[in-house]
Amino acid sequence: RDRYQRRVHGGEDGVTAGAMSDLQQATRIAHQMVRVFGLSPLGPVDFSTLERHGSIADPTSAALDAEVIKRLKAAKDDATQTLIKHRKQWERLADALLEEETINRDAVLKIISQA
């Protein structure tokens, strides 16, 4: 999120420690969704169990990796579109946080509800 927010806002493509952590966590979750929870077009199978027993074919493993990448790209696109759509709100929120450092829930709701 941090990486794409900066890209949308300022065009930078650098990676911060926070953005790297977000990417690692997103990758771990997508990997679990596809390989452990069976949430892929390859079916409701816990592929991690098959991998531990060495009984997964290379083409299947490649297809699973492709599905993980597909999900990550879709999530990136969704995040980018959300940031673009709500740019004014998050910029106002960022400005308020730079001024105050901390703000309460009511202040956040007021800021993001402004037209």
Side-chain angles (χ1 to χ4, degrees), residues 43-99:
V45 177
D46 177 1
F47 289 98
S48 65
T49 300
L50 297 176
E51 287 174 319
R52 280 193 299 275
H53 296 346
S55 60
I56 187 167
D58 287 340
T60 302
S61 186
L64 292 167
D65 289 343
E67 183 66 21
V68 169
I69 292 167
K70 176 182 166 186
R71 287 174 182 266
L72 290 170
K73 286 181 178 180
K76 178 201 74 140
D77 292 344
D78 287 348
T80 301
Q81 290 306 310
T82 299
L83 289 169
I84 290 168
K85 180 178 178 183
H86 299 287
R87 182 176 180 158
K88 288 180 184 178
Q89 289 93 336
W90 62 258
E91 284 180 340
R92 284 194 306 267
L93 189 58
D95 290 342
L97 286 167
L98 287 172
E99 269 185 42

Side-chain angles (χ1 to χ4, degrees), residues 88-89 92-93 96 103-115:
K88 288 180 184 178
Q89 289 93 336
R92 284 194 306 267
L93 189 58
I103 55 177
N104 64 29
R105 178 183 183 273
D106 291 336
V108 170
L109 294 174
K110 183 178 177 182
I111 290 166
I112 62 174
S113 67
Q114 294 172 353

Side-chain angles (χ1 to χ4, degrees), residues 2-33:
D2 179 45
R3 179 178 178 189
Y4 297 102
Q5 181 175 338
R6 286 187 304 103
R7 178 183 288 169
V8 168
H9 182 59
E12 297 179 35
D13 196 28
V15 178
T16 65
M20 182 56 70
S21 176
D22 290 349
L23 184 58
Q24 289 169 340
Q25 185 173 358
T27 301
R28 181 183 54 76
I29 291 168
H31 182 270
Q32 288 179 325
M33 289 172 66

